Amino acid sequence: MPTTPHHTAGGVPIATDQPSAAPPRSFLISVVLPCYNEDQVLRRTHDRLVRALHDLPHEIVYVDDGSTDGTWPLIQQLADTPGSVVRGVRFSRNFGHQAAALAGLAEATGDAVVLMDADLQDPPELIPSMAELWFKGWSIVSARRATRHGETQLKKSSAYLYYRLLARLSDQPVALDTGDFRLLDRKVVDFVTSLGEKELFLRGAISWTGFPETSITYERDARGAGTTKYTLRKMLALSRTGILAGAASLPLRIPTYLGAASLLGAGAALARGSVRRAAPLGAFGAQSLACGVLGEYLLGVFRQVQGRPPYLVMERTESSHGTTAKASAALVKELA
């Protein structure tokens, strides 16, 4: 599996000789996995995680996003299994992948936090390589998808076009072909979790911070089991959130551009002495689009001022055979 590094800052390529730092004497890596009805694959995911993290002091944080299968009982079993420190968080209902990822970041206590999916499309074996780049001083290490196995051509094509549209519209550069699989330094995690946005688009928020970022390329595997939980409706909702959150200024200017274009078109039609039958429909469509854009922003403002939390935690579980503090202390003693 290729792990070619591509060094970026906010998604823009930069020199590969920066930054550079000595590895920390002691550290703890948290791995956060949002889960929604993943009981068919979660144990395999956990076993691969434990093997991949064998030489790294770590904790594993599972966030059950309102699963209706046996995901939560399985997380409780994993927490009682010796070998790794496991903590689980259970939502009161399904709040969505982005909310689960945000909750995991807030729960994680590590000096670096790896965010990844639980369905084995994101290979845990990449984490040590990501940690090595973090040791060199990179604050963000993203995993860029070279190929996407097990997905339809429509999904691949739409994802390819979406990331490039998002990059063109966003006020800040964004990493192309990069999902949520990435390592974040503690200072990045603290900043992102303190933003207080009700509909946080994590990928855009992370790129917006501007912390030094690099990436490694990998081949994304097919799901280990089950079916994707990202329905068309959820993908469209995430795309809308990403564009509106990243393209902060351009959408607000669309009504101005449409109005100017409509006036120019109307003037040209009057100069020719003819008005096409399609003109009224075109004007109505432009007005509807403009109102729709404004409506999306007003909806975002409404949800923000409501003050409701992005998720509700109903239950927590934690390994009884150890704590993250004990794991970190053991490493300090070993390195002293």
Side-chain angles (χ1 to χ4, degrees), residues 105-289:
L105 293 179
E107 293 284 332
T109 62
D111 303 288
V113 181
V114 176
L115 182 63
M116 61 181 296
D117 290 340
D119 56 14
L120 289 180
Q121 288 188 286
D122 299 334
E125 292 76 15
L126 281 185
I127 296 178
S129 297
M130 300 168 82
E132 289 180 6
L133 292 170
W134 174 60
F135 294 155
K136 295 179 180 179
W138 296 99
S139 299
I140 304 171
V141 183
S142 301
R144 184 173 182 175
R145 305 158 179 165
T147 56
R148 304 164 65 107
H149 298 294
E151 296 182 355
T152 64
Q153 189 60 44
L154 176 62
K155 176 68 177 295
K156 296 177 182 178
S157 301
S158 60
Y160 178 88
L161 294 174
Y162 169 72
Y163 282 114
R164 280 144 187 83
L165 174 63
L166 181 62
R168 292 293 298 271
L169 294 179
S170 295
D171 291 340
Q172 300 294 328
V174 296
L176 297 177
D177 305 318
T178 302
D180 293 316
F181 186 23
R182 59 188 70 199
L183 179 148
L184 307 175
D185 185 82
R186 167 50 56 183
K187 57 180 176 289
V188 181
V189 174
D190 290 342
F191 184 83
V192 171
T193 54
S194 68
L195 289 176
E197 298 180 17
K198 305 305 178 185
E199 289 192 355
L200 183 64
F201 182 63
L202 280 175
R203 304 169 197 179
I206 291 169
S207 295
W208 179 84
T209 63
F211 285 100
E213 179 177 352
T214 187
S215 65
I216 54 179
T217 301
Y218 76 106
E219 295 184 8
R220 195 169 202 234
D221 296 328
R223 287 182 56 88
T227 59
T228 179
K229 309 307 185 301
Y230 257 115
T231 62
L232 178 60
R233 180 180 64 84
K234 290 184 177 180
M235 286 190 293
L236 291 175
L238 179 64
S239 301
R240 173 189 61 81
T241 301
I243 291 176
L244 293 181
S249 58
L250 181 60
L252 286 174
R253 293 171 180 162
I254 288 178
T256 302
Y257 298 150
L258 289 176
S262 298
L263 289 176
L264 290 174
L270 289 175
R272 292 194 303 268
S274 64
V275 179
R276 296 181 179 181
R277 296 177 59 183
L281 292 177
F284 176 77
Q287 293 174 356
S288 299
L289 177 61

